[in-house]
Amino acid sequence: MENPPLASLSLTHVHYNPADRLSYLCAWLALVPQGLCVVYATLIWSNREIEILLMFAGQMSCEALNWVLKRYIKEERPREMHGKGYGMPSSHAQFVTFFSLTLTFFLLFRHTPHPTDTHTPFSFFQRFMLSIVALLSAAAVACSRIYLNYHTPKQVLVGCAAGALFAVFWFGFTTFLRRSGLVEWGLDTHLAKILRVRDLVIQEDLVDSGWARWVERRQRKQFIVQQKNR
């Protein structure tokens, strides 16, 4: 029997012009959504923060919306593109717009970090600048889809609009969950306790998570060593 024809897993398969350095950069920018999924998974596993879980749930819901919209609109990609699938709206643009706006809403309107003995959190201005960086990065990813001829400008703009609208909706929805007490109820469930789900990032920076305990442990260890050397 002849071997069956092989298919390509196109998850990270990006067409670009090897003679164009900007095209090469755009090819790397195309991998940002996959990289962010790795970041999501890493933070969820290592920190068990309910806020990150909610954000990831919104991200996947936004992806599901994009899947529905593409199959409803059924607009083809640009002719220069040799890939498969519909192009309206751009999933990359929708993904990064949702992420950057949701992160911005969190940093500016929900995150109220308190200083500790070992850590000084970002000021509001620093969080604002970080939000600008996130939004500019999202714009770079969106523009790269046009440069690589994966999408038309209209498809990218619609993707950005869909991601922005869903980010506003999701932030309002999660705000309702918090104010109604449903998040607190969920944290008190047996499953949440088994999985060690917590809600610290609202008032505590991720970089401070466990740092105070680490400093205290090192100081205690150094004190014991000093006592032995006397």
Side-chain angles (χ1 to χ4, degrees):
M1 294 181 61
E2 295 183 358
N3 293 328
L6 299 178
S8 172
L9 181 62
S10 59
L11 184 64
T12 59
H13 187 66
V14 184
H15 290 94
Y16 72 97
N17 180 2
D20 185 350
R21 292 184 178 180
L22 184 56
S23 180
Y24 180 67
L25 173 62
C26 289
W28 279 101
L29 289 174
L31 303 181
V32 167
Q34 289 91 333
L36 288 176
C37 286
V38 174
V39 172
Y40 271 123
T42 302
L43 290 177
I44 290 171
W45 175 256
S46 61
N47 290 283
R48 316 296 175 94
E49 281 287 340
I50 187 66
E51 186 68 21
I52 300 175
L53 283 165
L54 289 172
M55 187 173 176
F56 181 66
Q59 192 79 71
M60 293 299 99
S61 299
C62 189
E63 280 295 285
L65 174 63
N66 180 267
W67 188 89
V68 172
L69 289 175
K70 279 189 174 181
R71 281 148 186 81
Y72 177 77
I73 300 174
K74 295 182 179 180
E75 182 173 301
E76 298 296 333
R77 294 179 183 271
R79 292 182 178 180
E80 297 86 353
M81 176 57 211
H82 303 291
K84 300 179 180 178
Y86 298 116
M88 173 67 84
S90 166
S91 59
H92 276 70
Q94 188 170 328
F95 188 105
V96 294
T97 300
F98 174 87
F99 175 84
S100 60
L101 268 183
T102 303
L103 179 63
T104 296
F105 292 154
F106 168 75
L107 290 174
L108 300 184
F109 304 115
R110 186 173 292 170
H111 188 42
T112 55
H114 298 313
T116 65
D117 294 336
T118 59
H119 176 66
T120 301
F122 280 179
S123 65
F124 181 84
F125 176 75
Q126 289 173 315
R127 299 200 303 274
F128 175 78
M129 295 306 298
L130 181 60
S131 300
I132 295 297
V133 171
L135 293 171
L136 290 176
S137 299
V141 174
C143 291
S144 73
R145 305 306 288 169
I146 301 173
Y147 193 85
L148 293 174
N149 292 318
Y150 273 84
H151 294 283
T152 65
K154 182 178 69 173
Q155 292 171 350
V156 167
L157 288 175
V158 172
C160 290
L165 289 174
F166 197 80
V168 173
F169 162 76
W170 193 256
F171 186 77
F173 176 64
T174 54
T175 299
F176 164 76
L177 292 180
R178 286 189 171 279
R179 292 181 178 178
S180 65
L182 289 173
V183 169
E184 285 296 324
W185 172 84
L187 290 170
D188 286 334
T189 61
H190 184 62
L191 179 61
K193 292 178 180 179
I194 291 177
L195 297 176
R196 302 292 193 270
V197 181
R198 59 190 186 179
D199 190 22
L200 293 176
V201 74
I202 296 296
Q203 296 182 336
E204 178 183 289
D205 283 345
L206 281 175
V207 294
D208 193 40
S209 179
W211 177 253
R213 293 193 301 273
W214 166 247
V215 172
E216 181 182 354
R217 182 181 301 177
R218 283 183 60 84
Q219 290 175 345
R220 190 186 312 119
K221 182 178 179 180
Q222 291 172 356
F223 176 77
I224 294 174
V225 172
Q226 292 174 355
Q227 292 295 321
K228 289 182 177 180
N229 292 334
R230 288 183 177 179

